[in-house]
Amino acid sequence: MRAIVVGSGPNGLAGAIRLAQAGASVTVLESHWRVGGAVGSAELTEPGLIHDLGASFMPLAAASPFLRSLELERRGVRWVEAPAALAHPLDDGSAGVLRRDILETAGGMGLDGSTWRNLFEPFVDRFDDLTADTLRPLARMPRHPGLMARFGALAAQPALRLAGSFREERHRALFAGIAAHAFGRLDTTFSSAIGVMLTAAGHAVGWPVVEGGAQVLADALEAELESLGGRVETGCTVTDIRQVEDADVVLLDVAPSAAVEILHHRIPERARRAFTEFAHGPAAYKVDFAIDGEIPWTASECQEAGVVHLGGSAAEVAEAEARVVSRKSARAPFTLVGQQWKADPSRSVGGLNPVWSYAHVPYGSTVEAEHRIVSQIERFAPGFRDRIVSTRVTSAMGLAAANSNFVGGDINTGANTFRQLIARPTFGPNPYRTGVPGVYLCSAATPPGPGVHGMSGVNAAERALDIA
């Protein structure tokens, strides 16, 4: 069987590896000069400073049953963690903190500690079972129905309501910030789903980075594919199905709109309609900084954290997210700051450290947001401006230009609405079908959705193998 995979993001590479494991002759076609899609790293600011280009903290990669099965440590992938996974500071100088150990985390939460454990410990204890069900199409019968029923009961709640389970604002804000990774409103049904999943992951596997930069992971996946006889061709842009029609199986690691363009008149009307109506969510605006020394956080807990969420109280985070969902800019946008050197000192040079940050902005935004990101950091770390040596800005449309899957700057490849949680982009046990025989969609627009886990590619490949 001859297979072609269009796109070398983590889903494309994982799908290619799964096909090669089954004996297929696999070629991956990548339009860019490097492999990895959103998984990559480079010296963006000062010589020697390593910045991740896109994905950086990867709990779902560390948890992915497929990626774990590859034993990528043999190819140089080493997961490293900061002393604390996450901190969420408030204006009063306090901060909510998530540490790898749930008992240590709960122990620092006072009266909220028992609530935190009661909510999340059942999923931490059975995290492998949880990922076995959540990293596949939700339309399929769960393997662990009791656990999934418990997960669903929490996931279905509005994130603000679940955050209200905690007495202290720093803990309400901590959960709201994690839930905000969905790039969606926090007052709607099922807006807790990603928050619950990422919280459990933080305790079960951490929020690690790859030592040496995210590109190490992409290169390791490429090496694994090559060891199975597959190959990657960079600088190859596929715009028409006729370019790959001699393959028995084609996996498209592309956005649904790009799939429609590639398949042209061959895609059935029902699939065309679903792919065309697929909704995109808010965008990201990324700024990489080179700084002299440390970020002068007011809350000391932030000095230990790999990731720092900036947005203030839970209500403030929710208000900012509601604005960007309605395509209005937030004056104080929810902002994520990555201090990767806390886990991986090799990314720094001398006294210079690389800071990775992005803010949530409206879909397709052309508004400059660097000053808003700097202001948010200054709000919780007065004096930050004085430590900036250089910057590299990638706007929402700059992200879209660098990665065609990020339509309008949407780095999740699709809005995380309730409809698209269950129909991404179509509903059913095989949402990877395009309606064109032998052609499957395998990007983050398909289940289980965004995150570096490779399971969209693996799931699509296995559906193709069932039929081939």
Side-chain angles (χ1 to χ4, degrees), residues 25-51:
S25 173
V26 184
T27 301
V28 177
L29 304 179
E30 168 58 50
S31 62
H32 204 266
W33 60 267
R34 65 168 186 85
V35 301
V39 176
S41 49
E43 297 179 9
L44 297 180
T45 54
E46 299 294 314
L49 292 190
I50 303 300
H51 297 265

Side-chain angles (χ1 to χ4, degrees), residues 31 33 101 106 108 116-117 135 140 167 231 294 309 344 362 381 395 437 461:
S31 62
W33 60 267
D101 190 320
W116 189 270
R117 286 186 63 188
L135 296 183
R140 298 173 75 89
R167 302 184 186 188
R231 62 194 179 95
E294 302 280 330
H309 286 167
D344 181 11
S395 67

